[in-house]
Amino acid sequence: MVHLRELQENYVDRIQIVFVYIREAGHETEGELKKVVAEEDRTQGQRHSSLRLAREGMKHYRLSFPCLLDDADETVSRLYRAFPMRLLLIDAEGKIALDSGLPLYGSVPWDKIRNWIAQSVPAPASLTNENKNPPNDRRQALSNGGVVED
Amino acid sequence: MGTLLYLDIPLIVLGMLALFAGSRPCFRRRSTSRSRKPRAPWVSVYLVLSGVACLIGAAIDMGFAERERRQKVALDEMLRASDDGTIAPMWPFPPGTPAPDFRLPTLKDGALVSLKTVRGSKPKPVLLVLSSFT
């Protein structure tokens, strides 16, 4: 999630990050999320995913991009064979440019993702200096977690 | 199947012959003398062991061939399903593959959003993260 936040901060004007919350894998969490997981385990037991955990997670990791919820049939998770995690870079034409596959042992190719963005998506000249400090309206839109449309 | 034809069947035939010959008390010569010469015990043991070894070898090879066939069938099914868009491969999609579209509710307000909508009117690259917080 640290990598995601870093991508969000550095490439906010070059790419759109979309988080699809799929079935939870049951891995260890950190900080306040541990409490949430424990409460959800106590109250809901076996579950596909937790809406509350998704909300708290987005807040905890300070992720402001849109978060979509996969349905109980795991439609998107199955479509992309994503469980427990998968990252895909989709170019402006809607074609897959880079795919992590199913990362084994957490080996997500973050460097490849950064390199691809750096090489394939030129930073808008007028916005180069704004990457670290996005304008207020855009920051506001991002903080709402809504879909940002240009 | 090729392995079965070219290796296993000769092995099975050889093994059966060896077992048959090994289990016989003696060789019957074709000579006209009609003389029966007792065979040394080690020859019988050797023939029986050879026969058993041939049959075991054939069984192992058939097992491997069957496993390979099942793996191939499973792989073919997976690839066919991937081509249909039913299921994605475990390994990365080749670059240039159209990203399958979908519609899901947002966490914020539950409004249904498709991948196309998220990309916006002036499409820019999308980093699609499919994961959870546990």
Side-chain angles (χ1 to χ4, degrees), chain A residues 76-103:
Chain A
V76 175
S77 180
R78 286 175 194 273
L79 188 63
Y80 283 90
R81 192 177 274 217
F83 181 81
M85 184 183 193
R86 191 162 191 161
L87 277 86
L88 298 105
L89 258 172
I90 300 166
D91 64 18
E93 295 170 357
K95 292 180 179 173
I96 294 169
L98 189 66
D99 178 11
S100 70
L102 281 182

PDB file of all heavy atoms in Angstrom, chain A residues 76-103:
ATOM      1  N   VAL A  76     -15.362  -9.852 -11.045  1.00  0.00           N
ATOM      2  CA  VAL A  76     -14.148  -9.234 -11.575  1.00  0.00           C
ATOM      3  C   VAL A  76     -12.914 -10.031 -11.154  1.00  0.00           C
ATOM      4  O   VAL A  76     -11.969 -10.199 -11.933  1.00  0.00           O
ATOM      5  CB  VAL A  76     -14.063  -7.765 -11.116  1.00  0.00           C
ATOM      6  CG1 VAL A  76     -12.754  -7.140 -11.542  1.00  0.00           C
ATOM      7  CG2 VAL A  76     -15.222  -6.978 -11.685  1.00  0.00           C
ATOM      8  N   SER A  77     -12.948 -10.523  -9.942  1.00  0.00           N
ATOM      9  CA  SER A  77     -11.830 -11.323  -9.464  1.00  0.00           C
ATOM     10  C   SER A  77     -11.622 -12.551 -10.348  1.00  0.00           C
ATOM     11  O   SER A  77     -10.502 -12.923 -10.682  1.00  0.00           O
ATOM     12  CB  SER A  77     -12.085 -11.740  -8.022  1.00  0.00           C
ATOM     13  OG  SER A  77     -11.023 -12.505  -7.538  1.00  0.00           O
ATOM     14  N   ARG A  78     -12.738 -13.159 -10.753  1.00  0.00           N
ATOM     15  CA  ARG A  78     -12.640 -14.328 -11.633  1.00  0.00           C
ATOM     16  C   ARG A  78     -12.250 -13.907 -13.041  1.00  0.00           C
ATOM     17  O   ARG A  78     -11.471 -14.589 -13.702  1.00  0.00           O
ATOM     18  CB  ARG A  78     -13.982 -15.054 -11.690  1.00  0.00           C
ATOM     19  CG  ARG A  78     -14.305 -15.828 -10.436  1.00  0.00           C
ATOM     20  CD  ARG A  78     -15.707 -16.399 -10.541  1.00  0.00           C
ATOM     21  NE  ARG A  78     -16.190 -16.855  -9.269  1.00  0.00           N
ATOM     22  CZ  ARG A  78     -15.970 -18.067  -8.783  1.00  0.00           C
ATOM     23  NH1 ARG A  78     -15.260 -18.923  -9.480  1.00  0.00           N
ATOM     24  NH2 ARG A  78     -16.438 -18.420  -7.614  1.00  0.00           N
ATOM     25  N   LEU A  79     -12.815 -12.794 -13.468  1.00  0.00           N
ATOM     26  CA  LEU A  79     -12.547 -12.320 -14.828  1.00  0.00           C
ATOM     27  C   LEU A  79     -11.056 -12.077 -15.040  1.00  0.00           C
ATOM     28  O   LEU A  79     -10.497 -12.402 -16.083  1.00  0.00           O
ATOM     29  CB  LEU A  79     -13.327 -11.020 -15.071  1.00  0.00           C
ATOM     30  CG  LEU A  79     -13.340 -10.438 -16.475  1.00  0.00           C
ATOM     31  CD1 LEU A  79     -14.018 -11.386 -17.442  1.00  0.00           C
ATOM     32  CD2 LEU A  79     -14.064  -9.093 -16.474  1.00  0.00           C
ATOM     33  N   TYR A  80     -10.429 -11.507 -14.024  1.00  0.00           N
ATOM     34  CA  TYR A  80      -8.996 -11.202 -14.122  1.00  0.00           C
ATOM     35  C   TYR A  80      -8.133 -12.219 -13.383  1.00  0.00           C
ATOM     36  O   TYR A  80      -6.928 -12.052 -13.306  1.00  0.00           O
ATOM     37  CB  TYR A  80      -8.717  -9.805 -13.558  1.00  0.00           C
ATOM     38  CG  TYR A  80      -9.098  -8.687 -14.479  1.00  0.00           C
ATOM     39  CD1 TYR A  80     -10.363  -8.120 -14.448  1.00  0.00           C
ATOM     40  CD2 TYR A  80      -8.194  -8.182 -15.400  1.00  0.00           C
ATOM     41  CE1 TYR A  80     -10.725  -7.093 -15.296  1.00  0.00           C
ATOM     42  CE2 TYR A  80      -8.534  -7.152 -16.251  1.00  0.00           C
ATOM     43  CZ  TYR A  80      -9.793  -6.611 -16.193  1.00  0.00           C
ATOM     44  OH  TYR A  80     -10.134  -5.586 -17.039  1.00  0.00           O
ATOM     45  N   ARG A  81      -8.781 -13.255 -12.814  1.00  0.00           N
ATOM     46  CA  ARG A  81      -8.094 -14.236 -11.962  1.00  0.00           C
ATOM     47  C   ARG A  81      -7.154 -13.498 -10.987  1.00  0.00           C
ATOM     48  O   ARG A  81      -5.925 -13.630 -11.029  1.00  0.00           O
ATOM     49  CB  ARG A  81      -7.299 -15.227 -12.800  1.00  0.00           C
ATOM     50  CG  ARG A  81      -6.826 -16.402 -11.946  1.00  0.00           C
ATOM     51  CD  ARG A  81      -6.113 -17.417 -12.765  1.00  0.00           C
ATOM     52  NE  ARG A  81      -7.067 -18.338 -13.326  1.00  0.00           N
ATOM     53  CZ  ARG A  81      -6.848 -19.640 -13.470  1.00  0.00           C
ATOM     54  NH1 ARG A  81      -5.720 -20.147 -13.106  1.00  0.00           N
ATOM     55  NH2 ARG A  81      -7.755 -20.414 -13.987  1.00  0.00           N
ATOM     56  N   ALA A  82      -7.766 -12.695 -10.140  1.00  0.00           N
ATOM     57  CA  ALA A  82      -6.995 -11.727  -9.370  1.00  0.00           C
ATOM     58  C   ALA A  82      -6.671 -12.152  -7.951  1.00  0.00           C
ATOM     59  O   ALA A  82      -5.781 -11.570  -7.338  1.00  0.00           O
ATOM     60  CB  ALA A  82      -7.752 -10.406  -9.319  1.00  0.00           C
ATOM     61  N   PHE A  83      -7.413 -13.108  -7.407  1.00  0.00           N
ATOM     62  CA  PHE A  83      -7.193 -13.427  -5.997  1.00  0.00           C
ATOM     63  C   PHE A  83      -5.818 -14.027  -5.776  1.00  0.00           C
ATOM     64  O   PHE A  83      -5.444 -14.940  -6.490  1.00  0.00           O
ATOM     65  CB  PHE A  83      -8.264 -14.410  -5.518  1.00  0.00           C
ATOM     66  CG  PHE A  83      -8.144 -14.777  -4.067  1.00  0.00           C
ATOM     67  CD1 PHE A  83      -8.630 -13.937  -3.088  1.00  0.00           C
ATOM     68  CD2 PHE A  83      -7.512 -15.941  -3.687  1.00  0.00           C
ATOM     69  CE1 PHE A  83      -8.508 -14.266  -1.746  1.00  0.00           C
ATOM     70  CE2 PHE A  83      -7.391 -16.283  -2.356  1.00  0.00           C
ATOM     71  CZ  PHE A  83      -7.885 -15.444  -1.385  1.00  0.00           C
ATOM     72  N   PRO A  84      -5.031 -13.596  -4.814  1.00  0.00           N
ATOM     73  CA  PRO A  84      -5.320 -12.557  -3.831  1.00  0.00           C
ATOM     74  C   PRO A  84      -4.937 -11.145  -4.269  1.00  0.00           C
ATOM     75  O   PRO A  84      -5.336 -10.191  -3.647  1.00  0.00           O
ATOM     76  CB  PRO A  84      -4.439 -12.969  -2.650  1.00  0.00           C
ATOM     77  CG  PRO A  84      -3.259 -13.624  -3.293  1.00  0.00           C
ATOM     78  CD  PRO A  84      -3.768 -14.286  -4.540  1.00  0.00           C
ATOM     79  N   MET A  85      -4.188 -11.008  -5.376  1.00  0.00           N
ATOM     80  CA  MET A  85      -3.780  -9.658  -5.784  1.00  0.00           C
ATOM     81  C   MET A  85      -3.314  -9.677  -7.233  1.00  0.00           C
ATOM     82  O   MET A  85      -2.689 -10.635  -7.685  1.00  0.00           O
ATOM     83  CB  MET A  85      -2.636  -9.169  -4.903  1.00  0.00           C
ATOM     84  CG  MET A  85      -2.221  -7.749  -5.178  1.00  0.00           C
ATOM     85  SD  MET A  85      -0.815  -7.279  -4.176  1.00  0.00           S
ATOM     86  CE  MET A  85      -0.818  -5.531  -4.419  1.00  0.00           C
ATOM     87  N   ARG A  86      -3.645  -8.647  -7.938  1.00  0.00           N
ATOM     88  CA  ARG A  86      -3.148  -8.515  -9.308  1.00  0.00           C
ATOM     89  C   ARG A  86      -3.171  -7.041  -9.696  1.00  0.00           C
ATOM     90  O   ARG A  86      -4.105  -6.332  -9.322  1.00  0.00           O
ATOM     91  CB  ARG A  86      -4.022  -9.331 -10.251  1.00  0.00           C
ATOM     92  CG  ARG A  86      -3.454  -9.469 -11.643  1.00  0.00           C
ATOM     93  CD  ARG A  86      -4.102 -10.605 -12.380  1.00  0.00           C
ATOM     94  NE  ARG A  86      -3.388 -10.912 -13.599  1.00  0.00           N
ATOM     95  CZ  ARG A  86      -3.502 -12.061 -14.262  1.00  0.00           C
ATOM     96  NH1 ARG A  86      -4.275 -13.002 -13.812  1.00  0.00           N
ATOM     97  NH2 ARG A  86      -2.835 -12.269 -15.357  1.00  0.00           N
ATOM     98  N   LEU A  87      -2.172  -6.612 -10.397  1.00  0.00           N
ATOM     99  CA  LEU A  87      -2.118  -5.224 -10.858  1.00  0.00           C
ATOM    100  C   LEU A  87      -1.992  -5.207 -12.369  1.00  0.00           C
ATOM    101  O   LEU A  87      -1.213  -5.980 -12.932  1.00  0.00           O
ATOM    102  CB  LEU A  87      -0.903  -4.493 -10.263  1.00  0.00           C
ATOM    103  CG  LEU A  87      -1.068  -3.934  -8.862  1.00  0.00           C
ATOM    104  CD1 LEU A  87      -0.760  -4.996  -7.846  1.00  0.00           C
ATOM    105  CD2 LEU A  87      -0.139  -2.764  -8.661  1.00  0.00           C
ATOM    106  N   LEU A  88      -2.740  -4.336 -12.982  1.00  0.00           N
ATOM    107  CA  LEU A  88      -2.670  -4.211 -14.434  1.00  0.00           C
ATOM    108  C   LEU A  88      -2.584  -2.750 -14.822  1.00  0.00           C
ATOM    109  O   LEU A  88      -3.301  -1.917 -14.266  1.00  0.00           O
ATOM    110  CB  LEU A  88      -3.909  -4.807 -15.100  1.00  0.00           C
ATOM    111  CG  LEU A  88      -4.156  -6.293 -14.882  1.00  0.00           C
ATOM    112  CD1 LEU A  88      -5.273  -6.508 -13.895  1.00  0.00           C
ATOM    113  CD2 LEU A  88      -4.485  -6.961 -16.190  1.00  0.00           C
ATOM    114  N   LEU A  89      -1.711  -2.469 -15.753  1.00  0.00           N
ATOM    115  CA  LEU A  89      -1.648  -1.133 -16.323  1.00  0.00           C
ATOM    116  C   LEU A  89      -2.381  -1.170 -17.652  1.00  0.00           C
ATOM    117  O   LEU A  89      -2.034  -1.974 -18.525  1.00  0.00           O
ATOM    118  CB  LEU A  89      -0.199  -0.731 -16.545  1.00  0.00           C
ATOM    119  CG  LEU A  89       0.410   0.210 -15.526  1.00  0.00           C
ATOM    120  CD1 LEU A  89       1.895   0.351 -15.770  1.00  0.00           C
ATOM    121  CD2 LEU A  89      -0.244   1.579 -15.534  1.00  0.00           C
ATOM    122  N   ILE A  90      -3.393  -0.351 -17.775  1.00  0.00           N
ATOM    123  CA  ILE A  90      -4.195  -0.323 -18.997  1.00  0.00           C
ATOM    124  C   ILE A  90      -3.933   1.004 -19.690  1.00  0.00           C
ATOM    125  O   ILE A  90      -4.055   2.065 -19.061  1.00  0.00           O
ATOM    126  CB  ILE A  90      -5.696  -0.469 -18.652  1.00  0.00           C
ATOM    127  CG1 ILE A  90      -5.911  -1.812 -17.940  1.00  0.00           C
ATOM    128  CG2 ILE A  90      -6.551  -0.379 -19.880  1.00  0.00           C
ATOM    129  CD1 ILE A  90      -7.245  -1.948 -17.268  1.00  0.00           C
ATOM    130  N   ASP A  91      -3.545   0.926 -20.940  1.00  0.00           N
ATOM    131  CA  ASP A  91      -3.165   2.167 -21.625  1.00  0.00           C
ATOM    132  C   ASP A  91      -4.406   2.981 -22.014  1.00  0.00           C
ATOM    133  O   ASP A  91      -5.550   2.558 -21.775  1.00  0.00           O
ATOM    134  CB  ASP A  91      -2.260   1.876 -22.833  1.00  0.00           C
ATOM    135  CG  ASP A  91      -2.967   1.067 -23.907  1.00  0.00           C
ATOM    136  OD1 ASP A  91      -4.212   1.019 -23.888  1.00  0.00           O
ATOM    137  OD2 ASP A  91      -2.277   0.480 -24.758  1.00  0.00           O
ATOM    138  N   ALA A  92      -4.156   4.120 -22.620  1.00  0.00           N
ATOM    139  CA  ALA A  92      -5.256   5.041 -22.929  1.00  0.00           C
ATOM    140  C   ALA A  92      -6.248   4.447 -23.917  1.00  0.00           C
ATOM    141  O   ALA A  92      -7.390   4.896 -24.007  1.00  0.00           O
ATOM    142  CB  ALA A  92      -4.690   6.347 -23.475  1.00  0.00           C
ATOM    143  N   GLU A  93      -5.805   3.444 -24.666  1.00  0.00           N
ATOM    144  CA  GLU A  93      -6.709   2.809 -25.642  1.00  0.00           C
ATOM    145  C   GLU A  93      -7.496   1.656 -25.038  1.00  0.00           C
ATOM    146  O   GLU A  93      -8.242   0.973 -25.746  1.00  0.00           O
ATOM    147  CB  GLU A  93      -5.896   2.324 -26.848  1.00  0.00           C
ATOM    148  CG  GLU A  93      -5.269   3.457 -27.631  1.00  0.00           C
ATOM    149  CD  GLU A  93      -4.284   2.951 -28.666  1.00  0.00           C
ATOM    150  OE1 GLU A  93      -4.062   1.724 -28.734  1.00  0.00           O
ATOM    151  OE2 GLU A  93      -3.726   3.783 -29.379  1.00  0.00           O
ATOM    152  N   GLY A  94      -7.285   1.408 -23.759  1.00  0.00           N
ATOM    153  CA  GLY A  94      -8.032   0.334 -23.103  1.00  0.00           C
ATOM    154  C   GLY A  94      -7.389  -1.031 -23.254  1.00  0.00           C
ATOM    155  O   GLY A  94      -8.035  -2.051 -23.016  1.00  0.00           O
ATOM    156  N   LYS A  95      -6.129  -1.045 -23.658  1.00  0.00           N
ATOM    157  CA  LYS A  95      -5.440  -2.326 -23.803  1.00  0.00           C
ATOM    158  C   LYS A  95      -4.439  -2.504 -22.662  1.00  0.00           C
ATOM    159  O   LYS A  95      -3.858  -1.531 -22.177  1.00  0.00           O
ATOM    160  CB  LYS A  95      -4.706  -2.377 -25.148  1.00  0.00           C
ATOM    161  CG  LYS A  95      -5.673  -2.429 -26.307  1.00  0.00           C
ATOM    162  CD  LYS A  95      -4.953  -2.467 -27.618  1.00  0.00           C
ATOM    163  CE  LYS A  95      -5.964  -2.534 -28.762  1.00  0.00           C
ATOM    164  NZ  LYS A  95      -5.334  -2.403 -30.067  1.00  0.00           N
ATOM    165  N   ILE A  96      -4.249  -3.745 -22.289  1.00  0.00           N
ATOM    166  CA  ILE A  96      -3.337  -4.031 -21.175  1.00  0.00           C
ATOM    167  C   ILE A  96      -1.901  -3.786 -21.624  1.00  0.00           C
ATOM    168  O   ILE A  96      -1.443  -4.346 -22.624  1.00  0.00           O
ATOM    169  CB  ILE A  96      -3.529  -5.485 -20.689  1.00  0.00           C
ATOM    170  CG1 ILE A  96      -4.922  -5.646 -20.087  1.00  0.00           C
ATOM    171  CG2 ILE A  96      -2.457  -5.868 -19.687  1.00  0.00           C
ATOM    172  CD1 ILE A  96      -5.323  -7.065 -19.812  1.00  0.00           C
ATOM    173  N   ALA A  97      -1.234  -2.928 -20.885  1.00  0.00           N
ATOM    174  CA  ALA A  97       0.155  -2.614 -21.223  1.00  0.00           C
ATOM    175  C   ALA A  97       1.116  -3.405 -20.350  1.00  0.00           C
ATOM    176  O   ALA A  97       2.210  -3.767 -20.780  1.00  0.00           O
ATOM    177  CB  ALA A  97       0.407  -1.117 -21.052  1.00  0.00           C
ATOM    178  N   LEU A  98       0.725  -3.638 -19.125  1.00  0.00           N
ATOM    179  CA  LEU A  98       1.601  -4.339 -18.185  1.00  0.00           C
ATOM    180  C   LEU A  98       0.721  -5.070 -17.187  1.00  0.00           C
ATOM    181  O   LEU A  98      -0.265  -4.530 -16.714  1.00  0.00           O
ATOM    182  CB  LEU A  98       2.496  -3.325 -17.464  1.00  0.00           C
ATOM    183  CG  LEU A  98       3.618  -3.865 -16.601  1.00  0.00           C
ATOM    184  CD1 LEU A  98       4.665  -4.565 -17.446  1.00  0.00           C
ATOM    185  CD2 LEU A  98       4.279  -2.713 -15.850  1.00  0.00           C
ATOM    186  N   ASP A  99       1.095  -6.279 -16.911  1.00  0.00           N
ATOM    187  CA  ASP A  99       0.287  -7.091 -16.004  1.00  0.00           C
ATOM    188  C   ASP A  99       1.228  -7.807 -15.051  1.00  0.00           C
ATOM    189  O   ASP A  99       2.236  -8.378 -15.472  1.00  0.00           O
ATOM    190  CB  ASP A  99      -0.528  -8.095 -16.838  1.00  0.00           C
ATOM    191  CG  ASP A  99      -1.368  -9.027 -15.971  1.00  0.00           C
ATOM    192  OD1 ASP A  99      -1.488  -8.764 -14.764  1.00  0.00           O
ATOM    193  OD2 ASP A  99      -1.886 -10.010 -16.514  1.00  0.00           O
ATOM    194  N   SER A 100       0.887  -7.761 -13.789  1.00  0.00           N
ATOM    195  CA  SER A 100       1.759  -8.423 -12.804  1.00  0.00           C
ATOM    196  C   SER A 100       1.548  -9.927 -12.794  1.00  0.00           C
ATOM    197  O   SER A 100       2.344 -10.663 -12.251  1.00  0.00           O
ATOM    198  CB  SER A 100       1.462  -7.883 -11.404  1.00  0.00           C
ATOM    199  OG  SER A 100       0.193  -8.327 -10.978  1.00  0.00           O
ATOM    200  N   GLY A 101       0.462 -10.398 -13.432  1.00  0.00           N
ATOM    201  CA  GLY A 101       0.101 -11.801 -13.256  1.00  0.00           C
ATOM    202  C   GLY A 101      -0.284 -12.007 -11.801  1.00  0.00           C
ATOM    203  O   GLY A 101      -0.648 -11.058 -11.103  1.00  0.00           O
ATOM    204  N   LEU A 102      -0.189 -13.225 -11.346  1.00  0.00           N
ATOM    205  CA  LEU A 102      -0.413 -13.463  -9.917  1.00  0.00           C
ATOM    206  C   LEU A 102       0.935 -13.354  -9.231  1.00  0.00           C
ATOM    207  O   LEU A 102       1.772 -14.244  -9.380  1.00  0.00           O
ATOM    208  CB  LEU A 102      -1.017 -14.848  -9.694  1.00  0.00           C
ATOM    209  CG  LEU A 102      -2.500 -14.978  -9.949  1.00  0.00           C
ATOM    210  CD1 LEU A 102      -2.966 -16.383  -9.633  1.00  0.00           C
ATOM    211  CD2 LEU A 102      -3.300 -13.990  -9.141  1.00  0.00           C
ATOM    212  N   PRO A 103       1.184 -12.265  -8.508  1.00  0.00           N
ATOM    213  CA  PRO A 103       2.519 -12.078  -7.934  1.00  0.00           C
ATOM    214  C   PRO A 103       2.795 -13.131  -6.867  1.00  0.00           C
ATOM    215  O   PRO A 103       2.042 -13.263  -5.913  1.00  0.00           O
ATOM    216  CB  PRO A 103       2.453 -10.689  -7.299  1.00  0.00           C
ATOM    217  CG  PRO A 103       1.165 -10.110  -7.698  1.00  0.00           C
ATOM    218  CD  PRO A 103       0.263 -11.223  -8.113  1.00  0.00           C
TER     219      PRO A 103
END
